């Protein structure tokens, strides 16, 4: 009986992780500009929205692990390949220029 509870809990956690990742990747794809996809030489925004919305729908409606894994692979490809390229084109990088020794209040001068 304890084993069944563990399996159910693990299944619930994996379903929530897959659903969350599908939702986050869809939102990121929807928020990016269409021209950034073209500039990054990736598939169109419409293509990624269709793929990621199918992934999201499958995660919401069906609990089939095989389809969830296929959708997870599509979301991973988007997050590790397409999103960084779009972010770089759009100017949304984490660094805003400056030196590697710059601190939050300006350049670090080594205590001089």
């Amino acid at each position: 009986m304890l084993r069944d509870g563990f399996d159910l809990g693990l299944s619930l956690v994996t379903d929530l992780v897959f659903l969350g990742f599908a939702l986050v990747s869809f939102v990121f794809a929807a928020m990016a500009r269409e021209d950034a996809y073209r500039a990054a030489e990736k598939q169109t925004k419409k293509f990624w929205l269709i793929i990621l919305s199918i992934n999201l729908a499958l995660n919401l409606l069906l609990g089939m692990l095989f389809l969830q894994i296929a959708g997870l692979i599509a979301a991973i490809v988007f997050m590790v390949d397409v999103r960084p390229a779009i972010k770089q084109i759009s100017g949304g990088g984490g660094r805003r220029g400056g030196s590697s020794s710059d601190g939050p209040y300006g350049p670090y001068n080594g205590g001089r």
Side-chain angles (χ1 to χ4, degrees), residues 54-111:
I54 290 171
N55 177 28
L56 188 58
L58 288 175
N59 275 287
L60 284 172
L61 302 176
L62 304 174
M64 299 175 64
L65 187 60
F66 175 75
L67 294 175
Q68 288 178 320
I69 290 174
L72 180 65
I73 291 169
I76 289 171
V77 167
F78 176 81
M79 294 295 276
V80 301
D81 181 42
V82 178
R83 184 171 178 257
I86 291 170
K87 195 173 179 182
Q88 184 178 13
I89 296 293
S90 299
R95 297 189 48 124
R96 305 264 191 263
S99 157
S100 63
S101 64
D102 284 357
Y105 306 110
Y108 177 71
N109 63 8

Side-chain angles (χ1 to χ4, degrees), residues 2 11 14 17 21 24 39 44 75 87 89:
L2 180 62
S11 177
T14 58
V17 167
F21 198 67
V24 167
T44 64
K87 195 173 179 182
I89 296 293

Side-chain angles (χ1 to χ4, degrees), residues 21-34:
F21 198 67
L23 181 63
V24 167
S25 61
F26 179 80
V27 168
F28 281 140
M31 289 175 42
R33 298 184 341 242
E34 172 65 38

